[in-house]
Amino acid sequence: MKVFVLNCGSSSVKYQLFNMDNESVMAKGLVERIGSDDAVLTHRPEGRQPVKQIGPILDHTTAISKVLAVLTHQEHGVICDVSEIGAVGHRVVHGGEAFTGSVLITDEVKKALRDCIDLAPLHNPPNLTGIAAAEALMPGVPQVAVFDTAFHSTMPRHAFLYPVPYVLYQRHKVRRYGFHGTSHRYVAWRASEILGRPLEDLKIISCHLGNGASIAAIKGGKSIDTSMGFTPLEGLMMGTRSGDVDPGVILFVMDREQLTLVEANAMLNKHSGLIGLSGLSSDMREIEAGMAQGNPRAKDAFDVYEYRIRKYIGAYAAAMDGVDVIIFTAGVGENSPLLRRRVCEGLTFLGVRIDTAKNEVRGKEADISAEGSTVRVLVVPTNEELVIARDTMEIVSSLGAREHVAAEGRV
Amino acid sequence: MEIRKVGIVGAGTMGCGIAESVAEKGYDVILVDRTEELIEEARSRIEMSLNKKLEKWAITEAEKKVTLSRIRPTSQLINITPADLVIEAVIEDPDVKKEIFRTLDNLCADDVVFATNTSTLSITELAAATGRPDKVIGLHFLNPVTRIKLVEIVRGLKTSDETFATASKFVASLDKTGVEVYESPGFVTTRVIVPLLNEAMYALMEGVASAKGIDTAMKLGFDLGKGPLELADRMGLDTVLAFMDRLFRDLGDLKFRPCPLLRKLVRAGHLGVKTGQGFFKYDEEGNLIE
């Protein structure tokens, strides 16, 4: 079966087409600047030259129809006809408390997703738009939603409740949800494959360090805690997001600087983190370069970033009463040997020892633990799209099987 | 009709504020004024406003660039033809506005909606200058446009339901709240606030309390952001006087009689924040000097 994976943002669509017979990527690409006269579609058919198209694309439906056109294009295409696509998998940011796993999209599911809009006002609306567009363009093709929050739905109450008036949980569903679930789930599964040990036996701490960053405590294959919370602002320091700060600071600054809610929100989400502390860049590569040139604020930014990861690892080792595996993934996690080394150097009390030569790896799967390390340290490039494709495939196949049984039953 | 390009005629305080608010929401803006100098001034005014937001962390450098790139300033009214909606924000002179609407009527496609940002003039009268009175509506943005969430959506006598629906949808897309208003002098906002400001001035003139006392009493007593005298200073005392005069003339009711103290201050050139002095004193950035 061929599965089409879509990740719709407010003005962008990322896509991958999988051949699930061998889990290979047939093509992937990206549409940017949707809503403008100079939108850009970049299409990368596997093993061939990428194609770029620039032109007006005013909405997601047009964007996805252009993607389908290029997928079936005589020269750049990888399939002959859209009907070859057996199912569509959507990345959906927030599933609220309603969704604890991936689901087939039905009218009820769409209604429940609309109910979650308050929880993810920036992300869920474009996800819903993408679903509507795909339904319009591929009528009858089953669609599946895979949630960023779902993997963390196994967190116990003591991990997801905030110590604020309980009525806020009842009234507004204020609690920890966690994000990057698809990524944490994928790398945890890969870790068990690499180590040849069942997930059920492992205590894993996975560090997803990209533009957004989060860390998860995964015990027996289940997320029991994660650093992002009600919104993706909590937890680790990120490129432009603050992560954990004293809530009193926010109230104080809003008062002193006379900030509105919008301004305070933008300050914490777009002007903090690496860029806020260094004044240099939100990109860890530039922070490392600045640090090498002796820029003191780049060093501050790096030190705070690293220290906070280490603190969380300590906390999650305590949360699980031990740790067997630490995983680094996503942009920074996969590509910064310096950061991994610095984090691990402070974790010797846990039995962490890394091999500095092996640690030089970038963007590839590797076990970077030293001989005798009681904790295995892995670099695992994440692959959220593959998880979405697999979930989609699984749900759609069981659907087919059920219909088959039902049909036989009638005879 | 789907609105993507918005034409704005008049690049003064209101025109620039509207241009910035509209461009920030992803619309392309064609901003027109009469001369290259005025256009250049508008460009730097909008940039300064965005810089202020940048300082307050409300936007990023990239967002500032994107917003600026969406605004196309021009001194040629002919360049407005691609607009799907035109908002007129020139001076409050009925003859000037009518002349502009007559020209726009010839330039723009028949289905383009015309909005006027007038706060006092008759929409019905302006609409009569065009061949499309059903497509003319009032969009009364308040100053400072980028901060005030309200837009009065004013129906003239012939404004169609379809035009009203288009305007409402547009206002909502700016993250602003629209209130439906039927044409009447001063609409809701001006009609209700101006007599309140005027009454505060009477209270001051009669020695009921000091200016600071009046403002503090009203601010704390009714949970207002600003007291009435400071608010009058910020609106401009000449503007407040013009509103009062107009309401008095149009409605003929004594409750709209301008306070003599207001007239006296305007004659003295104490116009409020813009001259540094009104009921209170202000520095160059418009901050109240205690």
Side-chain angles (χ1 to χ4, degrees):
Chain A
M1 186 195 290
K2 296 187 176 76
V3 174
F4 187 42
V5 173
L6 279 174
N7 180 355
C8 296
S10 57
S11 64
S12 69
V13 172
K14 285 186 206 153
Y15 65 91
Q16 286 197 19
L17 183 67
F18 283 90
N19 179 355
M20 291 310 282
D21 298 342
N22 54 7
E23 292 194 340
S24 63
V25 176
M26 303 173 73
K28 60 172 116 178
L30 168 68
V31 188
E32 294 163 285
R33 294 176 57 92
I34 294 172
S36 76
D37 286 333
D38 46 5
V40 187
L41 190 168
T42 314
H43 175 69
R44 299 173 191 281
E46 185 57 30
R48 273 179 284 161
Q49 283 300 309
V51 194
K52 208 171 215 180
Q53 294 177 359
I54 299 176
I57 297 181
L58 301 184
D59 55 34
H60 286 75
T61 310
T62 314
I64 296 171
S65 78
K66 296 242 179 197
V67 170
L68 293 176
V70 75
L71 281 172
T72 52
H73 189 271
Q74 276 198 325
E75 197 181 329
H76 315 299
V78 291
I79 50 176
C80 297
D81 194 90
V82 174
S83 63
E84 289 177 46
I85 296 174
V88 183
H90 293 269
R91 177 204 182 206
V92 179
V93 169
H94 214 309
E97 285 194 321
F99 299 104
T100 56
S102 305
V103 289
L104 184 75
I105 296 173
T106 61
D107 288 344
E108 282 132 60
V109 169
K110 276 187 276 183
K111 189 186 167 302
L113 283 178
R114 278 193 291 273
D115 292 342
C116 292
I117 283 182
D118 278 351
L119 297 174
L122 293 180
H123 294 106
N124 273 26
N127 294 159
L128 273 161
T129 310
I131 290 170
E135 282 179 340
L137 293 165
M138 291 171 271
V141 176
Q143 317 236 359
V144 169
V146 179
F147 303 96
D148 261 22
T149 49
F151 181 59
H152 301 300
S153 66
T154 47
M155 279 187 289
R157 286 173 69 82
H158 66 254
F160 76 64
L161 287 174
Y162 286 116
V164 293
Y166 190 71
V167 69
L168 296 175
Y169 172 51
Q170 294 169 309
R171 214 180 271 162
H172 304 295
K173 295 278 175 226
V174 170
R175 53 159 284 182
R176 178 183 309 284
Y177 291 97
F179 299 88
H180 295 143
T182 314
S183 174
H184 289 299
R185 185 175 135 209
Y186 172 80
V187 295
W189 168 78
R190 273 310 299 162
S192 88
E193 295 277 301
I194 293 167
L195 301 174
R197 292 170 63 184
L199 261 178
E200 290 68 33
D201 297 346
L202 292 174
K203 293 172 181 169
I204 297 174
I205 295 174
S206 82
C207 310
H208 177 108
L209 311 174
N211 279 328
S214 74
I215 184 162
I218 303 164
K219 191 176 184 181
K222 291 194 165 77
S223 170
I224 64 142
D225 203 352
T226 187
S227 59
M228 280 182 172
F230 180 64
T231 71
L233 184 55
E234 197 187 345
L236 298 174
M237 175 174 168
M238 309 176 210
T240 63
R241 283 175 243 168
S242 64
D244 296 336
V245 285
D246 174 358
V249 166
I250 299 157
L251 304 177
F252 174 85
V253 172
M254 283 183 78
D255 182 49
R256 281 301 164 94
E257 298 272 345
Q258 285 294 300
L259 299 187
T260 62
L261 273 181
V262 173
E263 287 162 351
N265 189 40
M267 178 186 79
L268 295 165
N269 276 293
K270 298 178 184 169
H271 297 266
S272 297
L274 291 175
I275 180 89
L277 210 46
S278 71
L280 187 68
S281 171
S282 61
D283 188 324
M284 183 50 96
R285 287 166 293 194
E286 291 184 37
I287 296 294
E288 287 185 16
M291 194 164 53
Q293 288 159 13
N295 180 327
R297 278 172 60 197
K299 180 178 183 307
D300 276 344
F302 182 93
D303 288 348
V304 174
Y305 187 96
E306 177 273 318
Y307 176 65
R308 288 176 166 232
I309 294 168
R310 193 147 42 88
K311 277 211 296 191
Y312 261 106
I313 292 176
Y316 285 168
M320 293 188 290
D321 193 13
V323 53
D324 303 310
V325 188
I326 295 172
I327 307 170
F328 289 96
T329 188
V332 179
E334 292 166 28
N335 295 295
S336 175
L338 177 64
L339 179 87
R340 291 190 299 248
R341 179 165 62 78
R342 289 277 301 275
V343 168
C344 292
E345 273 171 0
L347 295 172
T348 53
F349 78 101
L350 285 174
V352 174
R353 302 272 187 289
I354 59 164
D355 180 316
T356 45
K358 289 182 187 159
N359 181 44
E360 288 306 311
V361 69
R362 288 171 199 261
K364 279 204 288 277
E365 264 183 18
D367 183 341
I368 60 170
S369 1
E371 198 106 1
S373 176
T374 51
V375 177
R376 303 293 287 273
V377 183
L378 305 180
V379 175
V380 182
T382 192
N383 194 343
E384 291 158 277
E385 292 78 11
L386 179 60
V387 177
I388 296 173
R390 279 182 186 164
D391 276 15
T392 304
M393 170 84 182
E394 191 179 322
I395 286 173
V396 171
S397 311
S398 71
L399 189 76
R402 240 182 309 160
E403 273 170 11
H404 191 64
V405 171
E408 281 185 343
R410 275 199 296 277
V411 176
Chain B
M1 134 183 232
E2 186 72 25
I3 294 172
R4 290 186 46 236
K5 283 191 163 62
V6 178
I8 297 171
V9 186
T13 312
M14 296 306 288
C16 286
I18 297 168
E20 184 184 332
S21 298
V22 169
E24 270 188 338
K25 294 296 168 193
Y27 294 97
D28 291 323
V29 172
I30 306 154
L31 180 61
V32 192
D33 213 322
R34 284 163 300 151
T35 65
E36 284 302 323
E37 290 77 57
L38 289 169
I39 282 306
E40 206 37 60
E41 216 173 280
R43 208 195 304 260
S44 61
R45 194 199 300 253
I46 293 170
E47 186 160 4
M48 262 170 59
S49 165
L50 289 168
N51 283 343
K52 236 178 195 173
K53 283 188 191 163
L54 193 63
E55 261 170 46
K56 285 278 185 198
W57 304 289
I59 54 169
T60 63
E61 191 70 48
E63 286 166 338
K64 175 187 145 187
K65 276 192 194 135
V66 169
T67 300
L68 277 176
S69 76
R70 289 206 189 101
I71 301 174
R72 184 175 160 222
T74 168
S75 61
Q76 304 300 318
L77 195 56
I78 183 89
N79 289 331
I80 209 152
T81 44
D84 308 308
L85 164 74
V86 177
I87 303 172
E88 168 279 313
V90 303
I91 54 163
E92 287 284 273
D93 178 327
D95 295 330
V96 175
K97 285 191 194 273
K98 276 189 232 171
E99 183 53 37
I100 283 172
F101 275 119
R102 242 175 254 126
T103 316
L104 287 172
D105 201 30
N106 290 326
L107 286 176
C108 300
D110 292 342
D111 57 347
V112 172
V113 167
F114 293 163
T116 169
N117 184 50
T118 183
S119 48
T120 51
L121 301 176
S122 160
I123 312 297
T124 308
E125 189 184 336
L126 298 176
T130 72
R132 61 183 87 187
D134 59 313
K135 294 206 166 55
V136 179
I137 194 163
L139 283 181
H140 181 216
F141 292 85
L142 280 74
N143 193 26
V145 179
T146 53
R147 286 230 308 277
I148 305 279
K149 289 272 182 195
L150 175 79
V151 179
E152 287 180 291
I153 308 176
V154 189
R155 283 172 174 267
L157 191 64
K158 293 194 172 166
T159 307
S160 70
D161 290 343
E162 196 191 342
T163 300
F164 178 78
T166 304
S168 300
K169 202 173 145 203
F170 174 68
V171 167
S173 77
L174 301 179
D175 267 346
K176 296 197 187 287
T177 303
V179 171
E180 181 175 16
V181 174
Y182 290 86
E183 181 178 320
S184 170
F187 311 140
V188 173
T189 48
T190 309
R191 175 175 170 159
V192 175
I193 196 67
V194 172
L196 175 79
L197 308 184
N198 202 50
E199 195 57 32
M201 297 168 198
Y202 271 116
L204 177 66
M205 193 176 73
E206 290 168 16
V208 178
S210 68
K212 196 172 173 207
I214 291 170
D215 268 21
T216 304
M218 294 303 290
K219 248 189 336 201
L220 299 184
F222 297 98
D223 203 12
L224 304 178
K226 289 189 171 60
L229 298 175
E230 187 188 339
L231 191 58
D233 280 348
R234 294 198 177 278
M235 286 169 73
L237 298 188
D238 51 340
T239 309
V240 176
L241 180 60
F243 282 151
M244 285 302 287
D245 275 336
R246 174 135 202 125
L247 287 167
F248 188 45
R249 210 167 49 238
D250 281 0
L251 298 166
D253 194 322
L254 276 181
K255 71 184 174 192
F256 298 111
R257 186 168 55 118
C259 173
L261 175 60
L262 171 62
R263 207 177 284 283
K264 198 193 277 179
L265 286 173
V266 171
R267 284 189 178 137
H270 292 182
L271 306 183
V273 173
K274 59 185 161 190
T275 59
Q277 174 145 25
F279 292 100
F280 303 101
K281 287 199 165 78
Y282 302 87
D283 66 16
E284 293 207 333
E285 302 211 311
N287 299 312
L288 200 118
I289 304 168
E290 292 288 334

PDB file of all heavy atoms in Angstrom, chain A residues 49-66:
ATOM      1  N   GLN A  49      16.611  14.233  -9.342  1.00  0.00           N
ATOM      2  CA  GLN A  49      16.824  15.645  -9.045  1.00  0.00           C
ATOM      3  C   GLN A  49      15.580  16.282  -8.420  1.00  0.00           C
ATOM      4  O   GLN A  49      14.473  16.014  -8.866  1.00  0.00           O
ATOM      5  CB  GLN A  49      17.156  16.404 -10.342  1.00  0.00           C
ATOM      6  CG  GLN A  49      18.581  16.200 -10.818  1.00  0.00           C
ATOM      7  CD  GLN A  49      19.604  16.666  -9.806  1.00  0.00           C
ATOM      8  OE1 GLN A  49      19.531  17.785  -9.308  1.00  0.00           O
ATOM      9  NE2 GLN A  49      20.557  15.790  -9.476  1.00  0.00           N
ATOM     10  N   PRO A  50      15.756  17.122  -7.397  1.00  0.00           N
ATOM     11  CA  PRO A  50      14.599  17.838  -6.854  1.00  0.00           C
ATOM     12  C   PRO A  50      14.035  18.848  -7.855  1.00  0.00           C
ATOM     13  O   PRO A  50      14.753  19.313  -8.750  1.00  0.00           O
ATOM     14  CB  PRO A  50      15.151  18.553  -5.625  1.00  0.00           C
ATOM     15  CG  PRO A  50      16.620  18.467  -5.700  1.00  0.00           C
ATOM     16  CD  PRO A  50      16.989  17.377  -6.656  1.00  0.00           C
ATOM     17  N   VAL A  51      12.748  19.141  -7.701  1.00  0.00           N
ATOM     18  CA  VAL A  51      12.060  20.073  -8.587  1.00  0.00           C
ATOM     19  C   VAL A  51      11.523  21.222  -7.748  1.00  0.00           C
ATOM     20  O   VAL A  51      11.017  20.996  -6.653  1.00  0.00           O
ATOM     21  CB  VAL A  51      10.838  19.401  -9.262  1.00  0.00           C
ATOM     22  CG1 VAL A  51      10.348  20.233 -10.425  1.00  0.00           C
ATOM     23  CG2 VAL A  51      11.156  17.982  -9.669  1.00  0.00           C
ATOM     24  N   LYS A  52      11.629  22.442  -8.273  1.00  0.00           N
ATOM     25  CA  LYS A  52      11.102  23.593  -7.544  1.00  0.00           C
ATOM     26  C   LYS A  52      10.093  24.330  -8.422  1.00  0.00           C
ATOM     27  O   LYS A  52      10.369  24.582  -9.581  1.00  0.00           O
ATOM     28  CB  LYS A  52      12.268  24.531  -7.189  1.00  0.00           C
ATOM     29  CG  LYS A  52      12.022  25.349  -5.945  1.00  0.00           C
ATOM     30  CD  LYS A  52      13.297  26.071  -5.538  1.00  0.00           C
ATOM     31  CE  LYS A  52      13.378  26.159  -4.019  1.00  0.00           C
ATOM     32  NZ  LYS A  52      14.550  26.828  -3.526  1.00  0.00           N
ATOM     33  N   GLN A  53       8.917  24.621  -7.839  1.00  0.00           N
ATOM     34  CA  GLN A  53       7.918  25.408  -8.571  1.00  0.00           C
ATOM     35  C   GLN A  53       7.571  26.622  -7.726  1.00  0.00           C
ATOM     36  O   GLN A  53       7.345  26.499  -6.541  1.00  0.00           O
ATOM     37  CB  GLN A  53       6.626  24.602  -8.768  1.00  0.00           C
ATOM     38  CG  GLN A  53       6.778  23.399  -9.674  1.00  0.00           C
ATOM     39  CD  GLN A  53       5.470  22.612  -9.762  1.00  0.00           C
ATOM     40  OE1 GLN A  53       4.472  22.961  -9.140  1.00  0.00           O
ATOM     41  NE2 GLN A  53       5.493  21.546 -10.546  1.00  0.00           N
ATOM     42  N   ILE A  54       7.536  27.800  -8.376  1.00  0.00           N
ATOM     43  CA  ILE A  54       7.132  29.009  -7.661  1.00  0.00           C
ATOM     44  C   ILE A  54       5.920  29.599  -8.353  1.00  0.00           C
ATOM     45  O   ILE A  54       5.898  29.697  -9.592  1.00  0.00           O
ATOM     46  CB  ILE A  54       8.282  30.037  -7.626  1.00  0.00           C
ATOM     47  CG1 ILE A  54       9.480  29.419  -6.900  1.00  0.00           C
ATOM     48  CG2 ILE A  54       7.844  31.333  -6.922  1.00  0.00           C
ATOM     49  CD1 ILE A  54      10.716  30.274  -6.884  1.00  0.00           C
ATOM     50  N   GLY A  55       4.904  29.936  -7.588  1.00  0.00           N
ATOM     51  CA  GLY A  55       3.702  30.504  -8.180  1.00  0.00           C
ATOM     52  C   GLY A  55       2.656  30.720  -7.118  1.00  0.00           C
ATOM     53  O   GLY A  55       2.878  30.405  -5.954  1.00  0.00           O
ATOM     54  N   PRO A  56       1.511  31.294  -7.521  1.00  0.00           N
ATOM     55  CA  PRO A  56       0.471  31.554  -6.528  1.00  0.00           C
ATOM     56  C   PRO A  56      -0.170  30.264  -6.010  1.00  0.00           C
ATOM     57  O   PRO A  56      -0.600  29.432  -6.799  1.00  0.00           O
ATOM     58  CB  PRO A  56      -0.547  32.419  -7.288  1.00  0.00           C
ATOM     59  CG  PRO A  56      -0.290  32.172  -8.720  1.00  0.00           C
ATOM     60  CD  PRO A  56       1.138  31.764  -8.865  1.00  0.00           C
ATOM     61  N   ILE A  57      -0.160  30.079  -4.693  1.00  0.00           N
ATOM     62  CA  ILE A  57      -0.912  28.993  -4.053  1.00  0.00           C
ATOM     63  C   ILE A  57      -1.615  29.644  -2.873  1.00  0.00           C
ATOM     64  O   ILE A  57      -0.971  30.087  -1.934  1.00  0.00           O
ATOM     65  CB  ILE A  57       0.024  27.855  -3.561  1.00  0.00           C
ATOM     66  CG1 ILE A  57       0.740  27.208  -4.750  1.00  0.00           C
ATOM     67  CG2 ILE A  57      -0.786  26.816  -2.781  1.00  0.00           C
ATOM     68  CD1 ILE A  57       1.667  26.057  -4.363  1.00  0.00           C
ATOM     69  N   LEU A  58      -2.945  29.741  -2.982  1.00  0.00           N
ATOM     70  CA  LEU A  58      -3.655  30.566  -2.016  1.00  0.00           C
ATOM     71  C   LEU A  58      -4.186  29.800  -0.825  1.00  0.00           C
ATOM     72  O   LEU A  58      -4.460  30.382   0.216  1.00  0.00           O
ATOM     73  CB  LEU A  58      -4.784  31.317  -2.713  1.00  0.00           C
ATOM     74  CG  LEU A  58      -4.278  32.216  -3.847  1.00  0.00           C
ATOM     75  CD1 LEU A  58      -5.411  33.009  -4.449  1.00  0.00           C
ATOM     76  CD2 LEU A  58      -3.188  33.151  -3.348  1.00  0.00           C
ATOM     77  N   ASP A  59      -4.361  28.492  -0.959  1.00  0.00           N
ATOM     78  CA  ASP A  59      -4.878  27.751   0.190  1.00  0.00           C
ATOM     79  C   ASP A  59      -4.316  26.329   0.202  1.00  0.00           C
ATOM     80  O   ASP A  59      -3.633  25.910  -0.732  1.00  0.00           O
ATOM     81  CB  ASP A  59      -6.413  27.739   0.181  1.00  0.00           C
ATOM     82  CG  ASP A  59      -6.965  27.196  -1.121  1.00  0.00           C
ATOM     83  OD1 ASP A  59      -6.327  26.294  -1.711  1.00  0.00           O
ATOM     84  OD2 ASP A  59      -8.013  27.664  -1.571  1.00  0.00           O
ATOM     85  N   HIS A  60      -4.636  25.617   1.298  1.00  0.00           N
ATOM     86  CA  HIS A  60      -4.084  24.274   1.466  1.00  0.00           C
ATOM     87  C   HIS A  60      -4.607  23.290   0.426  1.00  0.00           C
ATOM     88  O   HIS A  60      -3.886  22.391   0.007  1.00  0.00           O
ATOM     89  CB  HIS A  60      -4.393  23.766   2.877  1.00  0.00           C
ATOM     90  CG  HIS A  60      -3.558  24.428   3.935  1.00  0.00           C
ATOM     91  ND1 HIS A  60      -3.786  25.718   4.361  1.00  0.00           N
ATOM     92  CD2 HIS A  60      -2.489  23.994   4.636  1.00  0.00           C
ATOM     93  CE1 HIS A  60      -2.894  26.032   5.275  1.00  0.00           C
ATOM     94  NE2 HIS A  60      -2.087  25.022   5.478  1.00  0.00           N
ATOM     95  N   THR A  61      -5.872  23.489   0.002  1.00  0.00           N
ATOM     96  CA  THR A  61      -6.428  22.577  -1.007  1.00  0.00           C
ATOM     97  C   THR A  61      -5.626  22.685  -2.302  1.00  0.00           C
ATOM     98  O   THR A  61      -5.250  21.672  -2.905  1.00  0.00           O
ATOM     99  CB  THR A  61      -7.918  22.907  -1.265  1.00  0.00           C
ATOM    100  OG1 THR A  61      -8.582  22.979  -0.001  1.00  0.00           O
ATOM    101  CG2 THR A  61      -8.572  21.855  -2.120  1.00  0.00           C
ATOM    102  N   THR A  62      -5.344  23.928  -2.714  1.00  0.00           N
ATOM    103  CA  THR A  62      -4.544  24.124  -3.926  1.00  0.00           C
ATOM    104  C   THR A  62      -3.148  23.537  -3.729  1.00  0.00           C
ATOM    105  O   THR A  62      -2.593  22.893  -4.617  1.00  0.00           O
ATOM    106  CB  THR A  62      -4.427  25.629  -4.249  1.00  0.00           C
ATOM    107  OG1 THR A  62      -5.705  26.222  -4.123  1.00  0.00           O
ATOM    108  CG2 THR A  62      -3.884  25.850  -5.639  1.00  0.00           C
ATOM    109  N   ALA A  63      -2.580  23.761  -2.538  1.00  0.00           N
ATOM    110  CA  ALA A  63      -1.228  23.261  -2.266  1.00  0.00           C
ATOM    111  C   ALA A  63      -1.187  21.746  -2.418  1.00  0.00           C
ATOM    112  O   ALA A  63      -0.321  21.200  -3.111  1.00  0.00           O
ATOM    113  CB  ALA A  63      -0.804  23.659  -0.853  1.00  0.00           C
ATOM    114  N   ILE A  64      -2.168  21.064  -1.806  1.00  0.00           N
ATOM    115  CA  ILE A  64      -2.154  19.601  -1.858  1.00  0.00           C
ATOM    116  C   ILE A  64      -2.470  19.110  -3.277  1.00  0.00           C
ATOM    117  O   ILE A  64      -1.889  18.125  -3.734  1.00  0.00           O
ATOM    118  CB  ILE A  64      -3.117  19.015  -0.797  1.00  0.00           C
ATOM    119  CG1 ILE A  64      -2.604  19.391   0.608  1.00  0.00           C
ATOM    120  CG2 ILE A  64      -3.226  17.500  -0.926  1.00  0.00           C
ATOM    121  CD1 ILE A  64      -3.551  19.075   1.733  1.00  0.00           C
ATOM    122  N   SER A  65      -3.327  19.833  -4.003  1.00  0.00           N
ATOM    123  CA  SER A  65      -3.604  19.395  -5.374  1.00  0.00           C
ATOM    124  C   SER A  65      -2.360  19.545  -6.252  1.00  0.00           C
ATOM    125  O   SER A  65      -2.102  18.725  -7.124  1.00  0.00           O
ATOM    126  CB  SER A  65      -4.814  20.132  -5.956  1.00  0.00           C
ATOM    127  OG  SER A  65      -4.444  21.421  -6.365  1.00  0.00           O
ATOM    128  N   LYS A  66      -1.555  20.592  -5.969  1.00  0.00           N
ATOM    129  CA  LYS A  66      -0.294  20.749  -6.736  1.00  0.00           C
ATOM    130  C   LYS A  66       0.681  19.618  -6.390  1.00  0.00           C
ATOM    131  O   LYS A  66       1.426  19.137  -7.243  1.00  0.00           O
ATOM    132  CB  LYS A  66       0.367  22.089  -6.401  1.00  0.00           C
ATOM    133  CG  LYS A  66      -0.466  23.275  -6.807  1.00  0.00           C
ATOM    134  CD  LYS A  66       0.225  24.123  -7.836  1.00  0.00           C
ATOM    135  CE  LYS A  66      -0.705  25.260  -8.198  1.00  0.00           C
ATOM    136  NZ  LYS A  66      -0.416  25.951  -9.399  1.00  0.00           N
TER     137      LYS A  66
END
